[in-house]
Amino acid sequence: MGKMCQLVMGPAGSGKSTFCSTILTHARTAGRSVHLVNLDPAAEHFEYKPSIDIRDLITLDDVMEELQYGPNGGLVYCLEYLCNNMDWLEEQISNFEEDYLIIDCPGQIELYTHFPIMKQIVSCLGRMGYRTCGVYLLDSQFVQDVSKFFSGVMSAMSAMLQLECPHVNVLSKMDLLGDKANSFELERYFDPDPTLLMEDANKETAPKLHALNRALVQLIEEYNMVSFLPLNIHDEDSVALILSHIDNAIQYGEDVEPKEPKDMEGVEDDDDNFGYDE
């Protein structure tokens, strides 16, 4: 099947672990051999036990205790330690070379936007022959505050530029929006129209910030990279749609040899069988 993996990213509280367990369940139900990889040294609870766990190498609690770092500094140190010991990750992953990997990442935005840590991990996976799709989750509650949504779009775009790999952006927790989840008004957030969003932002911000809003809109329009797929984890069709987009991004299944059709029994090579006239 080839080496495939998802790198699941996003702000803290965006639903990354829930997304990973949902996709894992859906993929295994479909008959795929899928494994969870945990790269969050501060993680505590998983619905599925990770097949590869960074906590076997280093934990945030140990770093904070021994080096007297705070949570954010300690987490960055843990990921830098992983990058300096990439042979450990390569050895762990080598046990699952023919399997589909879902990599659950920490929720610190700086790891995807300006630190080169995640880019080094993507490069390592590339050297090992993995096709990697970045999956960036943004909480759908952000659409209720245009300023927050602007921030989410910018962070997603920054991650796309930083990692330089196929990318799918997801609006998570759509089930929490209730009736608003199916409203026409919400669709403009899936493929953001910066001009319309700027109008809303200008209504909520002081006039002195309008120039900043306009500059952000211009930046989003110039790159024209960010669009979102809505995800309701309780809707199988929604989950399947997300997975199909990710599969398409990394060309999952395209290297599978087509199966030979079974011989049709009772069919003779006689034109009469096809209703041809003499």
Side-chain angles (χ1 to χ4, degrees), residues 174-188:
M174 292 295 292
D175 50 298
L176 300 182
L177 292 181
D179 294 337
K180 292 182 180 179
N182 299 317
S183 67
F184 176 78
E185 180 72 13
L186 196 62
E187 291 184 6
R188 66 187 177 122

Side-chain angles (χ1 to χ4, degrees), residues 38-43 53-55 58-61 74-75 78-79 106:
N38 173 45
L39 291 188
D40 185 354
D53 196 338
I54 189 177
R55 295 174 300 177
I58 189 171
T59 67
L60 179 60
D61 288 341
L75 193 142
C78 289
L79 270 294

Side-chain angles (χ1 to χ4, degrees), residues 9 132-136 156 159-161 163-169 249:
M9 306 166 285
T132 304
C133 179
V135 183
Y136 193 93
M160 295 173 77
L161 294 171
L163 299 183
E164 298 180 334
C165 67
H167 217 91
V168 172
N169 299 305

